Amino acid sequence: MGICSINEMRNKEVINIKTGARLGFPSDIEIDLENGNLVSIVVPGNYRIMGLFGKEEDIVIKWESIKTIGDDLIIIEMD
């Protein structure tokens, strides 16, 4: 897959190929500090009804669910 910075990751839209859902853009990553591996990426949850009722939980996408990282997209496969 090559090398990609977190700033570059934030500009790539996450799409679930199983459902066709456009999940949004990563806002954070989780790293295993003991061995330096990327564990997951985090996409913020959507706001509910004009933001008045808070927002949905963040979507945590495990590294194993990521199928490919392209120039503009991160393709994942998860239920």
Side-chain angles (χ1 to χ4, degrees):
M1 279 191 204
I3 296 175
C4 182
S5 71
I6 185 61
N7 287 332
E8 292 171 332
M9 293 275 280
R10 288 183 178 164
N11 295 321
K12 297 176 189 290
E13 186 172 18
V14 178
I15 298 180
N16 187 346
I17 59 172
K18 215 167 197 186
T19 64
R22 299 171 82 141
L23 303 178
F25 296 83
S27 62
D28 205 356
I29 60 172
E30 294 177 349
I31 298 173
D32 180 343
L33 294 178
E34 286 186 22
N35 57 24
N37 289 335
L38 179 67
V39 175
S40 58
I41 61 174
V42 180
V43 175
N46 293 324
Y47 286 96
R48 298 181 183 162
I49 308 175
M50 312 252 316
L52 298 174
F53 299 101
K55 70 177 203 168
E56 297 172 2
E57 287 189 36
D58 292 344
I59 303 165
V60 178
I61 302 162
K62 298 290 182 193
W63 180 251
E64 296 81 25
S65 298
I66 298 173
K67 297 303 175 192
T68 189
I69 299 175
D71 292 338
D72 299 323
L73 300 173
I74 299 173
I75 305 296
I76 66 161
E77 185 174 0
M78 60 186 261
D79 293 324

